[in-house]
Amino acid sequence: MSIRRVVPDIHSEDLEESREFYGLLGLVEVMNQGWVMTLASPSNPTAQLTLMGADSTAAVQPDLSIEVDDVDAVYEAVTAQGAEIVHPLQDEAWGVRRFFVIDPNGRVVNVVGHR
């Protein structure tokens, strides 16, 4: 398994205000789905953070996202160890396959892969 990136997910009541604040730190918008927005460093595009309103298909908000090359293999590995899944493995309309799992610290991890 290969990890492509690890991104903190920040819940935001006002995505535009948050984008403006992080813009002061040099981050620029690279993706915007209306309810979720990713900001990145222009000089290091894998340095990212995600701003989230209410998730489009999940009842819980993730604390971080880990993009992997084989989300199905990771799902099999964590379920085999008895990890708690709080959002099922599924394909999403915006082109990703993902699931949410609780880590040992109680954090919600969005494990995601692009299709």
Side-chain angles (χ1 to χ4, degrees):
M1 174 190 62
S2 175
I3 296 174
R4 295 190 171 148
R5 62 189 172 127
V6 177
V7 180
D9 296 327
I10 298 172
H11 179 70
S12 175
E13 297 295 328
D14 187 332
L15 295 176
E16 301 304 319
E17 181 180 43
S18 295
R19 180 186 61 200
E20 288 176 20
F21 172 80
Y22 287 104
L24 298 172
L25 302 176
L27 296 173
V28 298
E29 181 182 307
V30 295
M31 186 275 297
N32 188 336
Q33 296 286 331
W35 61 273
V36 60
M37 180 185 303
T38 300
L39 308 177
S41 164
S43 62
N44 180 6
T46 59
Q48 300 179 350
L49 67 83
T50 296
L51 304 169
M52 297 184 76
D55 193 290
S56 180
T57 64
V60 297
Q61 296 280 76
D63 296 300
L64 72 140
S65 295
I66 301 178
E67 183 182 354
V68 298
D69 65 343
D70 189 345
V71 69
D72 292 281
V74 176
Y75 182 81
E76 288 180 30
V78 300
T79 56
Q81 292 298 314
E84 182 182 357
I85 304 300
V86 293
H87 180 67
L89 177 63
Q90 64 186 39
D91 293 330
E92 302 288 6
W94 55 92
V96 301
R97 185 165 174 78
R98 69 178 183 160
F99 69 93
F100 294 179
V101 61
I102 302 293
D103 81 359
N105 304 298
R107 299 292 180 193
V108 178
V109 180
N110 172 26
V111 181
V112 61
H114 284 84
R115 289 184 273 142

